[in-house]
């Protein structure tokens, strides 16, 4: 079986260097064929994004332009209605019937899996790569239904991602990056001073795009 395709969803509001470093580190550490960024159109588990979808998509395209192995997928923005992960994975599975798919999620997100639409089906469609902070035993806080799946599916060898198309849970500790999209938005709401404060936290092309389109100049308290 070929190397897995990493699936990295989120609002990317805005995309920043922490997102990029995470994707690059996971691609190298898990031998992923690529990492595909999928910006959410209408996320069901959080407040609506601050920046319009078309701008968030454009920022992701700018951010990954110089990074081989990173790609962007606009399907959730183009699809009407809520952006349910299971729907996206079903589409991807139809396009890649036998290929390995690896859904990348943070540990906090993984803990909330039982609230997701048809969450158990996700394991039938893809592997789940849980990004964890080193030394944080998040698995002790699993809800009983999720703990059942964890016990059946957890693998301590990332090579499991390449032996089957879906079904395993793998934990990948990564280098922490103290960069927050909400903190970036709060700074950008201050105008020119805020732009100077976040320089280096976002790709230069993304920051220039934000400035040019006057994004995040209001609603700095949005999450």
């Amino acid at each position: 079986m070929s190397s897995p395709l990493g699936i990295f969803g989120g609002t990317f509001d805005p995309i920043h260097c922490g997102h990029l470093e995470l994707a690059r580190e996971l691609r190298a550490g898990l031998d992923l064929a690529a990492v595909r960024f999928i910006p959410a159109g209408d996320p069901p588990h959080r407040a609506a994004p601050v920046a319009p979808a078309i701008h968030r998509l454009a920022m992701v395209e700018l951010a990954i332009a110089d990074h081989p192995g990173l790609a962007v997928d606009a399907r959730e923005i183009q699809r009407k209605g809520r952006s349910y992960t299971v729907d996206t994975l079903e589409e991807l599975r139809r396009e890649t019937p036998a290929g390995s798919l690896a859904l990348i999620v943070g540990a906090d997100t993984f803990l909330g899996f039982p609230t997701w639409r048809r969450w158990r089906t996700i394991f039938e469609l893809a592997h789940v790569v849980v990004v964890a902070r080193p030394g944080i035993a998040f698995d002790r806080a699993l809800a009983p239904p999720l703990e059942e799946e964890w016990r059946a599916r957890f693998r301590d060898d990332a090579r499991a991602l390449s032996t089957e198309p879906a079904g395993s849970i793998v934990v990948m500790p990564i280098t922490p990056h103290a960069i927050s999209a909400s903190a970036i938005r709060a700074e950008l709401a201050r105008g020119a001073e805020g732009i100077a404060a976040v320089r280096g936290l976002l790709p230069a092309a993304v920051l220039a795009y934000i400035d040019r389109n006057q994004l995040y100049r209001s609603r700095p308290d949005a999450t």
Side-chain angles (χ1 to χ4, degrees), residues 18-19 21 28 34 53 60-61 92-93 106-107 158 163 175 177 189 194 208 210:
H19 294 131
E21 290 305 313
V60 174
E61 291 172 341
L92 290 168
R93 179 51 68 198
T163 59
T175 305
H177 298 283
I210 290 171

Side-chain angles (χ1 to χ4, degrees), residues 7-144:
I7 307 300
F8 188 12
T11 55
F12 305 114
D13 192 25
I15 190 169
H16 53 67
C17 293
H19 294 131
L20 296 175
E21 290 305 313
L22 183 151
R24 293 173 63 189
E25 189 170 341
L26 287 179
R27 183 174 181 240
L30 297 175
D31 192 26
L32 301 177
V35 174
R36 188 179 296 185
F37 286 73
I38 305 184
D42 185 5
H45 297 289
R46 54 165 294 158
V50 177
I54 191 66
H55 287 306
R56 292 184 290 109
L57 176 61
M59 287 188 284
V60 174
E61 291 172 341
L62 288 169
I64 68 169
D66 296 326
H67 296 280
L70 304 187
V72 63
D73 187 323
R75 74 181 66 221
E76 289 192 0
I77 285 175
Q78 295 169 347
R79 190 170 65 218
K80 295 181 179 180
R82 292 282 195 173
S83 300
Y84 291 110
T85 298
V86 69
D87 295 341
T88 298
L89 290 176
E90 284 181 330
E91 290 179 3
L92 290 168
R93 179 51 68 198
R94 287 194 291 270
E95 295 166 11
T96 313
S100 174
L101 301 177
L103 178 67
I104 299 166
V105 298
D108 291 344
T109 297
F110 181 70
L111 291 176
F113 253 33
T115 68
W116 287 28
R117 183 185 191 186
R118 296 167 54 211
W119 67 277
R120 290 184 189 272
T121 303
I122 289 173
F123 297 113
E124 300 172 9
L125 299 167
H127 301 292
V128 176
V129 175
V130 183
V131 178
R133 296 178 182 177
I136 303 298
F138 71 92
D139 53 298
R140 296 178 183 176
L142 300 178

Side-chain angles (χ1 to χ4, degrees), residues 196-215:
V198 301
R199 200 173 303 279
L201 301 182
L202 304 87
V206 172
L207 189 56
Y209 183 92
I210 290 171
D211 188 27
R212 184 165 64 251
N213 290 279
Q214 298 289 288
L215 301 179

Side-chain angles (χ1 to χ4, degrees), residues 14 181-199 202 207 210-211 215-218 220:
S182 58
I184 288 173
R185 293 196 301 268
E187 287 289 349
L188 291 171
R190 300 194 300 123
E193 290 185 5
I195 289 175
V198 301
R199 200 173 303 279
L202 304 87
L207 189 56
I210 290 171
D211 188 27
L215 301 179
Y216 306 112
R217 292 300 176 94
S218 61

